[in-house]
């Protein structure tokens, strides 16, 4: 994942490492190594490598180490139906771009925000509140919404997680989701668990990791963005990863399960 989520990031990495050997022109470099297509909105758009791996082979030094110690099991997929309330909320949001919740009206104005709201509804029955914030750069008040999962929120994703745990009661697990709010919800209901997410101090994370390794903590429920990179030691505690939801970043989704 050295070029992240975009193959064209290879150019900036190698320009930094070998400025004399890497073409100074980005688009000339693209025309040499990558495939492109025209997008009506974005213009010229990179679609992949002409010959996968060829550019890496051309570099002065490129070392790829494949893991050989273990062979991973094929992941088990478990399809989770929405609760009737979640389904009703989901369909209305998709159709009308708004839905009434307990405290307010949850709404959206653009498709990318719609996708975020629909993903939130699939995790649990959510609530929301509208508030205004002054944008000093633009000099205007901006209307925003805060979304959260109430303590008693129905979550078929959590119900399925609980069923999985009941099938494997003695097994420690790393449970992953893109949603910080769902991390809070799950750890509030799951005994012997720790919420690993943004805003949690490094000291608390280190203490939880050690407790996990020592067997004093059974579950880490982690936000993908917080645990995917730079975390070592979880492999000493468990070999099971449960995905409640994935990140929008393929790179982070690739890195996160490698922690174990």
């Amino acid at each position: 994942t050295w070029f992240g989520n975009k193959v064209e990031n290879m150019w900036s990495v190698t320009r930094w490492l070998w400025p004399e050997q890497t073409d100074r022109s980005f688009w000339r470099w693209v025309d040499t190594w990558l495939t492109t297509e025209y997008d009506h909105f974005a213009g010229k758009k990179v679609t992949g490598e002409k010959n996968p791996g060829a550019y890496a082979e051309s570099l002065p030094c490129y070392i790829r180490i494949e893991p050989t110690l273990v062979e991973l099991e094929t992941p088990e997929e478990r399809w989770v139906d929405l609760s009737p309330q979640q389904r009703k909320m989901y369909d209305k949001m998709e159709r009308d771009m708004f839905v009434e919740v307990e405290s307010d009206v949850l709404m959206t104005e653009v498709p990318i925000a719609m996708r975020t709201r629909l993903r939130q509804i699939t995790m649990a029955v959510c609530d929301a509140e509208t508030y205004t914030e002054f944008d000093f750069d633009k000099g205007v008040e901006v209307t925003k919404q805060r979304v959260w999962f109430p303590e008693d929120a129905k979550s078929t994703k959590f119900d399925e997680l609980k069923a999985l745990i009941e099938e494997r009661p003695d097994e420690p697990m790393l449970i992953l989701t893109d949603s910080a709010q769902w991390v809070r919800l799950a750890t509030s209901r799951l005994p012997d668990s720790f919420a690993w997410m943004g805003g949690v101090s490094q000291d608390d994370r280190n203490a939880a990791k050690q407790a996990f390794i020592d067997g004093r903590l059974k579950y880490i429920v982690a936000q993908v963005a917080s645990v995917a990179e730079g975390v070592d030691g979880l492999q000493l505690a468990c070999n099971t990863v449960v995905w409640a939801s994935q990140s929008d970043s393929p790179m982070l989704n690739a890195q996160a399960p490698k922690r174990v």
Side-chain angles (χ1 to χ4, degrees):
T1 55
W2 63 281
F3 48 78
N5 292 317
K6 296 182 178 180
V7 68
E8 58 264 39
N9 289 342
M10 291 192 295
W11 179 80
S12 55
V13 174
T14 54
R15 271 290 295 162
W16 173 63
L17 288 168
W18 300 290
E20 299 305 317
Q21 291 107 317
T22 305
D23 198 322
R24 291 176 179 272
S25 167
F26 171 73
W27 284 112
R28 187 168 59 209
W29 174 86
V30 166
D31 290 339
T32 302
W33 298 102
L34 307 182
T35 57
T36 61
E37 67 179 16
Y38 179 76
D39 183 280
H40 180 70
F41 298 100
K44 193 174 183 180
K45 184 178 176 183
V46 172
T47 55
E49 291 185 79
K50 288 182 178 178
N51 297 300
Y55 184 61
E57 289 181 7
S58 76
L59 300 175
C61 180
Y62 181 81
I63 300 167
R64 180 181 177 89
I65 301 173
E66 295 280 359
T68 56
L69 295 177
V70 295
E71 188 171 329
L72 300 179
E73 290 183 20
T74 302
E76 175 194 356
E77 290 189 354
R78 300 171 73 123
W79 292 88
V80 181
D81 290 330
L82 300 180
S83 69
Q85 187 179 2
Q86 285 174 281
R87 169 54 65 189
K88 186 177 180 180
M89 292 174 66
Y90 189 100
D91 290 346
K92 181 163 178 57
M93 174 61 76
E94 193 172 39
R95 183 180 65 249
D96 300 330
M97 300 185 75
F98 75 90
V99 63
E100 291 183 10
V101 291
E102 185 174 344
S103 305
D104 206 333
V105 175
L106 181 63
M107 53 192 170
T108 182
E109 296 178 356
V110 293
I112 187 65
M114 159 86 81
R115 182 173 177 276
T116 299
R117 296 296 182 232
L118 292 175
R119 279 166 62 93
Q120 288 170 327
I121 292 169
T122 66
M123 298 305 295
V125 173
C126 56
D127 201 356
E129 67 174 359
T130 304
Y131 65 96
T132 58
E133 195 174 85
F134 193 79
D135 188 325
F136 289 96
D137 293 332
K138 297 179 180 179
V140 295
E141 281 193 341
V142 179
T143 301
K144 296 186 176 182
Q145 282 201 312
R146 184 174 76 88
V147 180
W148 72 94
F149 300 133
E151 288 184 8
D152 60 349
K154 177 63 177 176
S155 172
T156 52
K157 283 284 182 81
F158 182 79
D159 293 344
E160 189 68 26
L161 171 64
K162 197 172 177 183
L164 175 63
I165 288 173
E166 288 172 356
E167 292 170 16
R168 308 180 184 192
D170 300 322
E171 197 164 337
M173 298 176 183
L174 173 64
I175 300 153
L176 298 173
T177 173
D178 69 308
S179 169
Q181 294 289 353
W182 198 84
V183 170
R184 292 190 184 95
L185 181 74
T187 51
S188 72
R189 298 178 179 182
L190 189 60
D192 206 10
S193 66
F194 176 78
W196 189 301
M197 60 184 186
V200 176
S201 73
Q202 192 59 51
D203 286 345
D204 287 346
R205 294 183 189 192
N206 291 341
K209 183 173 72 171
Q210 193 57 54
F212 195 48
I213 294 169
D214 294 343
R216 293 179 286 111
L217 179 69
K218 202 164 184 182
Y219 308 108
I220 289 180
V221 186
Q223 190 179 10
V224 176
S226 297
V227 81
E229 301 172 288
V231 178
D232 188 30
L234 302 185
Q235 74 278 12
L236 303 174
C238 79
N239 63 359
T240 298
V241 176
V242 180
W243 289 94
S245 63
Q246 292 194 328
S247 166
D248 278 334
S249 167
M251 181 184 75
L252 295 182
N253 291 334
Q255 290 280 10
K258 302 296 176 66
R259 299 310 99 200
V260 303

